[in-house]
Amino acid sequence: MPRRECLNRRCRVLHSGPGPRCPTCTTQQEQARDAARGTTTQRGLGADHQAAARQILANAELCAVCGLPPTADDPLEAGHIRPRVHGGTNDITNYRAEHRSCNRGQGATLRKR
Ligand SMILES: [Zn+2]
Ligand SMILES: [Zn+2]
């Protein structure tokens, strides 16, 4: 079997394993993927979430829940319009800017009257 250079730039070891990475890096990558699946991806905070959130916040001036501008105590953050538990996605169309308090479901009642 021909030996190949490990795909991991910081490794680059020559190996004859079945994948593009050496067996060590393959194992590490699988462990990292499992860890991500159990934590950030589960909560919907993967790379696609972060990219969408950045884009939403870059254009946001007002909270989509209460319609007020952000304050130092209560900055805007990206919230899901349709919660992921109800089938919402990390697509940018499923995001809106809302106060941290509104996002937590507190601001809307506190500010209403
Ligand atoms: Zn490697
Ligand atoms: Zn708000």
Side-chain angles (χ1 to χ4, degrees), residues 63-68 74 98-99 101-102 111:
C63 171
V65 176
C66 67
L68 295 172
D74 203 2
E98 43 193 58
H99 286 109
S101 61
C102 292
R111 281 167 221 272

Side-chain angles (χ1 to χ4, degrees), residues 18-37:
R21 290 170 174 79
C22 72
T24 307
C25 290
T26 302
T27 306
Q28 281 174 1
Q29 194 200 21
E30 279 167 4
Q31 284 170 351
R33 198 187 295 147
D34 286 349
R37 192 182 293 134

Side-chain angles (χ1 to χ4, degrees), residues 59-101:
N59 298 315
E61 285 169 15
L62 298 173
C63 171
V65 176
C66 67
L68 295 172
T71 66
D73 291 343
D74 203 2
L76 294 180
E77 57 184 38
H80 286 102
I81 296 168
R82 178 185 254 273
R84 281 170 56 80
V85 286
H86 295 305
T89 67
N90 277 345
D91 190 88
I92 189 149
T93 56
N94 192 37
Y95 284 89
R96 63 184 178 183
E98 43 193 58
H99 286 109
R100 182 178 292 163
S101 61

Side-chain angles (χ1 to χ4, degrees), residues 2-77:
R3 287 158 76 83
R4 278 177 294 179
E5 200 176 60
C6 174
L7 204 65
N8 182 353
R9 286 166 187 272
R10 283 181 294 183
C11 175
R12 293 278 188 194
V13 76
L14 289 172
H15 67 96
S16 54
R21 290 170 174 79
C22 72
T24 307
C25 290
T26 302
T27 306
Q28 281 174 1
Q29 194 200 21
E30 279 167 4
Q31 284 170 351
R33 198 187 295 147
D34 286 349
R37 192 182 293 134
T39 56
T40 55
T41 308
Q42 198 173 53
R43 298 200 309 264
L45 300 176
D48 52 348
H49 164 85
Q50 282 165 21
R54 247 197 314 272
Q55 211 171 322
I56 288 292
L57 294 177
N59 298 315
E61 285 169 15
L62 298 173
C63 171
V65 176
C66 67
L68 295 172
T71 66
D73 291 343
D74 203 2
L76 294 180
E77 57 184 38

